[in-house]
């Protein structure tokens, strides 16, 4: 019994992180952004190690478990939080901006996400996700301008209400009909009793709530506002960490819990996927804000992942997850580049400000080019593998029209990214850039190294990913 409770050490470390940040902020006079970043790094790292150690030990099968599946996503999320937090410290140091609120909020959200991934109870999962949404309020309002704070606040309140309604109504109907809270109990109930119309609608509402966490269309407005109005560390965190969590819960729900409602859920995922691909491709070419451009690129890739998931077989889910992981490699590299694009202490947002950066920052310009080309799936970069797997799967399902739609929208998406390449390499420099921190170049080096290794022996990486995914699907 003691071992089961010891398996909660990763969550306990995150709780200790929150307490430590609060106590240091209250009682310590000498505070720097690095102080809170160090606390966060240590706790995130320890939590990641302990999560791996207790990968198969849980408290109760009906409430909270650790499996290869949960460890994969929790480990990926904790690693992402560790890396994004490390890069964020560079921003707070350069801006002389207090970081305690940021690191407290990301610790709070990561703790909630860990609970939601390991939860085996619909109430616990929904409650943890609701806590994470409520806890992100301060994070999403970290703006310097009063006007931007008001816009973010209104957007946050609106999206929080929508999320609570979607999840609240959906969970209430499922629990009321099945008289069960646990995933196993709900699965057993719908094996005996065919789902009614209310059950199908309720499952779609719950899925809609998860879509809002992922930032899929048409539930992506908060992601758009975050990319446009929030500070860079918040944008990077919100574009990566909640998405990983949302994908983990999404797969659990439609692949395991709501198998009886798979047909309508499949239709919903396909519709949201197509809409995300459409809006992402068009949005990337219709804005001059570089953060919004890549937010729309992310929307496009999330859309393809949902389309792949919608076919519902284990192989389809594996391909969708491989596509998603390849996207994460590239988008993290893009955001690492953003931390090196600073002029007179201000981090740039506008496309025009990128003009001629290849003259003063050739390494960052080259990295931005490499990661963007990978996102387009152009050979020989790692993004090509995602497109090859996607093409093979859609042809196997005889979805030629869907494949044509995706590649047509990929051409539209490329217009938005080609504007970035043109600005970087073919326009005259307009502003002078500050010297980038060494940590930014180190992060870019690691990302590019992964891409080079994959280019040399792509099957090595793909086989490992397939083996990991096959272990829990």
């Amino acid at each position: 019994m003691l071992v089961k409770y010891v398996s909660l050490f990763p969550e306990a470390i995150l709780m200790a992180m929150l307490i430590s940040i609060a106590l240091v902020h209250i009682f310590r006079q000498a505070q720097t952004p690095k102080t809170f970043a160090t606390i966060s790094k240590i706790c995130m790292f320890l939590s990641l190690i302990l999560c791996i150690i207790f990968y198969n030990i849980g408290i109760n099968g009906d409430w909270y478990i650790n499996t290869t599946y949960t460890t994969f996503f929790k480990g990926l999320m904790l690693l992402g939080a560790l890396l994004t937090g490390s890069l964020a410290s560079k921003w707070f140091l350069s801006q002389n901006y207090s970081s305690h609120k940021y690191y407290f909020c990301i610790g709070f959200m990561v703790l909630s996400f860990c609970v939601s991934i390991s939860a085996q109870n619909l109430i616990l999962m929904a409650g943890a996700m609701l806590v994470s949404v409520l806890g992100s309020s301060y994070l999403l309002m970290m703006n310097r301008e009063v006007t931007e704070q008001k816009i973010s606040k209104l957007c946050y309140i609106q999206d929080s209400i929508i999320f609570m309604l979607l999840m609240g109504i959906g969970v209430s109907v499922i629990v009321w009909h099945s008289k069960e809270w646990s995933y196993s109990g709900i699965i057993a109930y719908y094996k005996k009793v065919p789902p009614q119309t209310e059950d199908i609608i309720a499952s779609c509402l719950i899925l809609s709530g998860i879509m809002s966490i992922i930032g899929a269309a048409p539930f992506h407005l908060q992601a758009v506002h975050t990319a446009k109005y929030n500070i860079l560390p918040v944008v990077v965190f919100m574009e990566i960490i909640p998405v990983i969590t949302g994908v983990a819960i999404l797969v659990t729900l439609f692949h395991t819990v709501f198998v009886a409602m798979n047909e309508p859920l499949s239709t919903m995922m396909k519709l949201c996927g197509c809409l995300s691909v459409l809006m992402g491709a068009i949005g990337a070419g219709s804005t001059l804000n570089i953060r919004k451009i890549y937010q729309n690129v992310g929307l496009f890739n999330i859309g393809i992942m949902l389309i792949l998931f919608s076919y519902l077989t284990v192989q389809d889910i594996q391909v969708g997850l491989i596509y998603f992981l390849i996207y994460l490699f590239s988008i993290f590299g893009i955001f690492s580049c953003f931390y090196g694009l600073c002029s007179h202490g201000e981090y740039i947002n506008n496309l025009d400000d990128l003009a001629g950066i290849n003259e003063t920052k050739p390494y960052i310009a080259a990295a931005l080019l490499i990661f963007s080309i990978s996102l387009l799936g152009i050979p020989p970069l790692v993004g090509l593998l995602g497109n090859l797997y996607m093409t093979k799967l859609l042809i196997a399902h005889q979805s030629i029209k869907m494949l044509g739609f995706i590649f047509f929208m990929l051409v539209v998406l490329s217009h938005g990214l080609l504007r970035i390449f043109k600005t970087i390499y073919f326009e005259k420099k307009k502003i002078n850039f500050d010297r980038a921190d060494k940590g930014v170049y180190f992060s870019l080096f690691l990302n590019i190294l992964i891409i080079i290794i994959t280019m040399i022996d792509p099957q090595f990486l793909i086989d490992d990913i397939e083996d990991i995914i096959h272990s829990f699907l």
Side-chain angles (χ1 to χ4, degrees):
M1 182 62 71
L2 179 62
V3 175
K4 292 183 178 181
Y5 288 104
V6 169
S7 67
L8 290 176
F9 268 17
E11 289 79 4
I13 293 292
L14 293 173
M15 183 63 72
M17 169 185 163
L18 301 180
I19 296 171
S20 300
I21 290 175
L23 291 176
V24 169
H25 177 63
I26 294 171
F27 295 108
R28 184 173 175 176
Q29 292 183 346
Q31 301 176 20
T32 66
K34 196 172 182 179
T35 303
F36 301 105
T38 302
I39 295 173
S40 176
K41 288 178 187 177
I42 294 172
C43 293
M44 290 287 185
F45 179 76
L46 289 175
S47 184
L48 173 60
I49 296 300
L50 290 171
C51 178
I52 295 171
I53 292 173
F54 300 113
Y55 76 96
N56 62 345
I57 303 173
I59 295 177
N60 185 299
D62 291 334
W63 284 92
Y64 202 83
I65 64 169
N66 289 321
T67 62
T68 308
Y69 177 84
T70 63
T71 301
F72 174 76
F73 281 103
K74 287 165 71 173
L76 188 63
M77 181 192 61
L78 287 165
L79 179 61
L82 176 63
L83 296 175
T84 56
S86 299
L87 286 173
S89 66
K90 318 297 181 185
W91 187 95
F92 286 105
L93 283 169
S94 67
Q95 301 295 296
N96 195 25
Y97 194 100
S98 178
S99 64
H100 79 277
K101 184 187 294 185
Y102 171 82
Y103 286 106
F104 184 88
C105 287
I106 68 169
F108 187 83
M109 293 180 68
V110 168
L111 175 59
S112 300
F113 289 153
C114 283
V115 173
S116 63
I117 292 173
S118 286
Q120 291 296 293
N121 184 292
L122 204 58
I123 299 292
L124 182 59
M125 182 277 294
M129 293 304 293
L130 178 59
V131 168
S132 71
V133 169
L134 295 175
S136 65
S137 58
Y138 290 108
L139 190 66
L140 294 174
M141 292 182 215
M142 290 184 69
N143 310 99
R144 294 186 171 188
E145 300 294 335
V146 175
T147 303
E148 293 177 353
Q149 287 180 349
K150 290 181 179 179
I151 293 173
S152 295
K153 186 175 182 179
L154 290 172
C155 180
Y156 164 75
I157 292 173
Q158 171 187 307
D159 287 344
S160 296
I161 292 174
I162 292 173
F163 177 82
M164 286 188 284
L165 287 174
L166 291 174
M167 292 294 288
I169 295 173
V171 170
S172 298
V173 171
I174 294 294
V175 172
W176 179 56
H177 276 197
S178 65
K179 303 296 187 297
E180 293 285 350
W181 294 1
S182 66
Y183 290 168
S184 57
I186 293 171
I187 294 169
Y189 173 79
Y190 286 114
K191 282 183 177 179
K192 298 176 182 178
V193 181
Q196 302 175 20
T197 304
E198 296 88 347
D199 299 311
I200 294 172
I201 294 173
S203 64
C204 288
L205 289 176
I206 294 172
L207 216 66
S208 299
I210 304 303
M211 295 286 190
S212 69
I213 297 295
I214 295 175
F219 311 100
H220 65 298
L221 293 180
Q222 181 172 294
V224 173
H225 282 83
T226 299
K228 184 176 181 179
Y229 294 111
N230 283 96
I231 61 177
L232 182 57
V234 173
V235 174
V236 176
F237 180 86
M238 294 300 293
E239 284 291 318
I240 295 176
I241 308 305
V243 180
I244 296 172
T245 307
V247 170
I249 299 171
L250 184 69
V251 174
T252 299
L253 291 180
F254 78 78
H255 182 65
T256 305
V257 183
F258 296 141
V259 175
M261 285 85 87
N262 262 353
E263 186 174 344
L265 294 183
S266 170
T267 302
M268 179 182 173
M269 281 192 290
K270 189 169 291 186
L271 289 174
C272 288
C274 291
L275 189 59
S276 296
V277 167
L278 176 65
M279 298 189 73
I282 295 174
S286 60
T287 179
L288 295 177
N289 186 301
I290 57 173
R291 297 179 189 177
K292 283 189 65 178
I293 290 174
Y294 284 104
Q295 181 271 324
N296 280 288
V297 172
L299 180 63
F300 177 90
N301 282 269
I302 288 170
I304 293 179
M305 179 193 69
L306 291 175
I307 290 171
L308 296 175
F309 283 170
S310 69
Y311 292 96
L312 298 176
T313 69
V314 172
Q315 184 182 5
D316 301 327
I317 298 170
Q318 288 178 346
V319 172
L321 289 177
I322 289 172
Y323 191 95
F324 175 65
L325 291 174
I326 291 173
Y327 156 73
L328 283 182
F329 289 149
S330 299
I331 202 65
F332 183 78
I334 294 289
F335 287 131
S336 298
C337 291
F338 286 177
Y339 280 103
L341 301 176
C342 183
S343 176
H344 303 293
E346 293 295 328
Y347 287 80
I348 66 171
N349 294 325
N350 296 320
L351 178 61
D352 293 340
D353 294 334
L354 289 176
I357 68 165
N358 65 305
E359 299 176 13
T360 54
K361 292 189 176 296
Y363 299 114
I364 291 179
L368 197 61
L369 176 66
I370 290 170
F371 295 129
S372 298
I373 289 176
S374 180
L375 286 171
L376 287 174
I378 297 175
L381 299 179
V382 66
L384 173 66
L385 296 176
N387 282 348
L388 288 176
Y389 271 76
M390 174 196 69
T391 303
K392 181 180 178 181
L393 186 143
L394 292 178
I395 291 176
H397 286 290
Q398 299 182 344
S399 299
I400 306 302
K401 291 182 180 179
M402 180 64 74
L403 185 63
F405 166 74
I406 290 174
F407 276 107
F408 176 76
M409 298 316 299
L410 185 62
V411 173
V412 177
L413 177 73
S414 65
H415 167 68
L417 293 180
L418 287 173
R419 291 185 305 154
I420 295 177
F421 307 155
K422 174 178 174 291
T423 304
I424 291 175
Y425 287 98
F426 300 103
E427 293 187 7
K428 293 183 179 180
K429 185 179 67 173
K430 295 181 181 179
I431 61 176
N432 294 317
F433 289 91
D434 302 338
R435 187 174 181 178
D437 188 272
K438 292 181 181 179
V440 174
Y441 288 108
F442 181 71
S443 176
L444 292 176
F445 171 76
L446 289 179
N447 271 267
I448 293 175
L449 184 63
I450 292 173
I451 288 180
I452 291 174
I453 293 173
T454 308
M455 288 167 56
I456 295 172
D457 187 7
Q459 202 60 39
F460 173 76
L461 177 64
I462 296 303
D463 285 345
D464 285 347
I465 293 175
E466 285 185 333
D467 288 343
I468 292 170
I469 295 172
H470 183 70
S471 68
F472 56 72
L473 282 181

